[in-house]
Amino acid sequence: MSDTTEQRHAAVGPFAGFFYQWHYFMLRALSMNHGESVSFENKDDVDTETGEGYSYYQLKHTVKATKTHIVNLPLRDSDWWKSISVWLDIIKGKGSDEAQRDFIAKTDFTLVTNKTVISNDLYNKIEAFRCDSSKYNNIECCLKQLYDETANPKNETGSTTKEQIAKLKDYPLRRDFLLKVYVETLSDSDIVERIKEEIIEGKYVDEGKVEDAYNAYIGEMDKDAVEVLSNGNALTYSRKEFQVRFQHCFTAYRKVKITFCKFERDATFDIQNSTFIRQLVDIDDVGYDEADIIYDYVDRRLDYDKSMSQSVRKHEISQETRNEIENRAFKYWRQQFRFYNHTHSDEETHKTQARQLLNDVRGKNLKYEEQEFDDYQSHGCFYTLSDGTNPRIGWHIDWEQKYKQVDDGQSV
């Protein structure tokens, strides 16, 4: 390799290493589970925490690894031994042997690198030990031989690889510790592709729009990096904080997929005190003695509401998408309401106009993007909007005075 190439690698290396670490942090943030938090430059390069334990990540990157050139993580690799040394220092800082053992038991230690570990005999033996505890002695033999055959020149940290090997070889709890040590090999492009997979599969973004969502996510993350990291602070998100902060990066690019279901009839539904049923009875659309018709209306109303709530809960759609669908329904109703109920008249005329409005609305099949609702689902949406202590819509010209208990500022 020429001096010029070496100089270029020396200049690019720290920059590339930071972005490797930053993008991995972005990936871990996207894949958080309920109750989890993720941090950048807090306890480790990247770390995650749940109520049950911790995961510590050391990120080591080389600019020499490319798609066509594989770089190994050999037995004496300085990145490997620096990571081991860092973790041992963290563990020893917990105090007594008992406290250290407890910490090891609830913590995973992972070296994330774009080097391949296949030729690292020590790690291969760790993996074998993980599968078969009787093979631990092979690790001890490997460590002893490695220590005996390693020279003692100083490395860039001021210590030597031999000293770092000895640090592990002489650590009393090394058996427990090595059982919790992992290596994850990821190239720069691997991390980017996994971020995009998480955006598609975890955030339900349309595959054709993933680049836009990815760029939006990077842009917002970079804003936080400038604001927080430039002040020398660690950056931490809980899963809830992350969702609130970055939800908008994905919502605009989501594929709408609402799974409508028919649920078991709710026998506890109070028909007599249901606002949407009272509205229909009061305009002579149905009578309380017409149980089959009333229960059909109730089924539509509840199945729509439960299906939408379930789709939001399962992240098939966002709450914002549900709000948008119902706002469109509201706007259609408002337009028709003003057409049918523009002047006061006698009560029978008002009821006739209300039934005409209702019939018009029942003929409207709602739609969101490429998904069209059938009349069962569309009716359920309008019935849901006309229910509750503070309904958004009604049929009679005086429905607000009759059924609304709170002024929500949406008067027609």
Side-chain angles (χ1 to χ4, degrees):
M1 187 180 294
S2 69
D3 291 343
T4 302
T5 303
E6 290 281 8
Q7 291 168 355
R8 184 170 66 249
H9 282 176
V12 172
F15 181 81
F18 171 81
F19 277 97
Y20 184 77
Q21 179 183 345
W22 181 243
H23 286 154
Y24 188 77
F25 171 67
M26 291 175 61
L27 173 61
R28 291 256 60 94
L30 274 173
S31 56
M32 274 190 289
N33 295 314
H34 181 73
E36 190 173 2
S37 64
V38 61
S39 298
F40 183 89
E41 291 291 350
N42 187 23
K43 297 180 176 71
D44 208 335
D45 290 344
V46 174
D47 66 88
T48 62
E49 180 176 350
T50 67
E52 299 178 353
Y54 310 91
S55 293
Y56 282 47
Y57 300 93
Q58 281 276 307
L59 279 292
K60 301 299 182 184
H61 179 272
T62 175
V63 294
K64 297 177 183 178
T66 66
K67 290 182 179 180
T68 58
H69 180 68
I70 296 174
V71 175
N72 291 319
L73 185 81
L75 265 175
R76 295 174 179 81
D77 185 89
S78 61
D79 287 339
W80 165 246
W81 287 106
K82 279 187 284 185
S83 298
I84 294 289
S85 180
V86 166
W87 291 328
L88 289 176
D89 287 341
I90 291 171
I91 295 168
K92 290 176 181 179
K94 300 302 176 181
S96 67
D97 284 357
E98 182 180 359
Q100 292 179 44
R101 187 176 283 108
D102 288 345
F103 178 71
I104 291 170
K106 61 185 178 183
T107 307
D108 291 334
F109 304 90
T110 303
L111 169 62
V112 182
T113 179
N114 61 340
K115 300 177 183 179
T116 180
V117 75
I118 194 169
S119 64
N120 189 307
D121 190 47
L122 176 59
Y123 186 71
N124 291 336
K125 286 178 167 57
I126 293 172
E127 284 286 273
F129 164 55
R130 220 187 314 273
C131 298
D132 182 354
S133 60
S134 69
K135 295 184 176 181
Y136 175 71
N137 193 55
N138 295 336
I139 295 176
E140 290 289 314
C141 293
C142 181
L143 280 174
K144 183 179 184 307
Q145 181 179 356
L146 184 61
Y147 177 78
D148 290 342
E149 296 177 357
T150 299
N152 207 30
K154 295 285 184 182
N155 59 31
E156 62 268 30
T157 65
S159 60
T160 69
T161 298
K162 191 177 184 78
E163 289 170 346
Q164 291 166 338
I165 294 170
K167 194 174 187 178
L168 174 62
K169 183 175 73 70
D170 298 336
Y171 180 54
L173 303 179
R174 59 190 175 276
R175 181 187 177 108
D176 296 332
F177 167 63
L178 290 174
L179 197 59
K180 306 299 292 292
V181 170
Y182 301 88
V183 176
E184 184 176 16
T185 299
L186 291 172
S187 68
D188 300 74
S189 59
D190 288 337
I191 295 177
V192 171
E193 287 307 309
R194 282 181 55 179
I195 289 173
K196 291 178 181 178
E197 287 172 8
E198 283 289 339
I199 291 173
I200 293 170
E201 297 173 10
K203 301 304 178 184
Y204 303 95
V205 166
D206 187 283
E207 191 168 350
K209 300 177 181 177
V210 67
E211 288 294 335
D212 293 329
Y214 172 74
N215 290 330
Y217 177 44
I218 285 180
E220 290 302 306
M221 267 288 195
D222 287 351
K223 288 180 184 178
D224 284 6
V226 171
E227 182 176 343
V228 178
L229 301 178
S230 61
N231 293 323
N233 299 320
L235 182 58
T236 300
Y237 301 110
S238 67
R239 185 171 185 264
K240 184 175 181 180
E241 289 169 340
F242 180 83
Q243 288 178 329
V244 171
R245 172 69 180 84
F246 296 100
Q247 187 72 20
H248 69 283
C249 296
F250 314 114
T251 301
Y253 306 105
R254 274 189 174 144
K255 52 188 174 187
V256 175
K257 177 194 168 190
I258 306 167
T259 303
F260 285 106
C261 303
K262 291 191 177 181
F263 298 87
E264 185 177 349
R265 179 170 289 169
D266 186 354
T268 65
F269 188 82
D270 188 355
I271 291 174
Q272 296 295 326
N273 290 312
S274 168
T275 302
F276 99 90
I277 293 295
R278 276 202 298 130
Q279 291 210 55
L280 298 175
V281 169
D282 288 352
I283 63 171
D284 298 334
D285 173 70
V286 69
Y288 282 117
D289 58 339
E290 297 178 280
D292 288 347
I293 297 176
I294 283 183
Y295 275 112
D296 176 65
Y297 293 169
V298 170
D299 287 345
R300 292 172 186 242
R301 182 254 185 270
L302 294 181
D303 285 349
Y304 165 82
D305 189 34
K306 290 178 181 178
S307 292
M308 293 296 278
S309 296
Q310 180 173 270
S311 286
V312 171
R313 189 169 58 253
K314 292 169 65 177
H315 304 291
E316 292 176 348
I317 61 169
S318 65
Q319 183 61 48
E320 290 82 359
T321 295
R322 176 175 182 171
N323 294 344
E324 183 176 348
I325 290 167
E326 293 177 359
N327 285 337
R328 290 182 181 183
F330 170 80
K331 290 175 181 177
Y332 178 80
W333 163 85
R334 182 173 60 187
Q335 174 182 311
Q336 303 309 112
F337 180 88
R338 293 171 70 87
F339 175 79
Y340 286 105
N341 292 300
H342 58 280
T343 58
H344 276 79
S345 184
D346 61 273
E347 182 61 16
E348 286 306 311
T349 300
H350 289 327
K351 288 183 178 182
T352 299
Q353 291 171 336
R355 289 194 300 273
Q356 290 172 334
L357 166 63
L358 175 63
N359 186 63
D360 188 308
V361 168
R362 281 175 174 163
K364 173 69 173 177
N365 278 6
L366 300 172
K367 181 179 180 181
Y368 190 79
E369 293 194 353
E370 299 303 315
Q371 186 172 9
E372 186 167 342
F373 302 178
D374 61 23
D375 61 356
Y376 189 91
Q377 300 147 4
S378 298
H379 292 185
C381 177
F382 287 112
Y383 293 157
T384 298
L385 294 179
S386 65
D387 203 10
T389 58
N390 191 33
R392 292 185 68 189
I393 69 173
W395 317 112
H396 192 281
I397 192 170
D398 294 324
W399 71 273
E400 290 185 279
Q401 291 83 356
K402 289 174 176 286
Y403 311 111
K404 288 187 75 168
Q405 297 181 16
V406 180
D407 183 4
D408 61 2
Q410 289 199 3
S411 174
V412 295

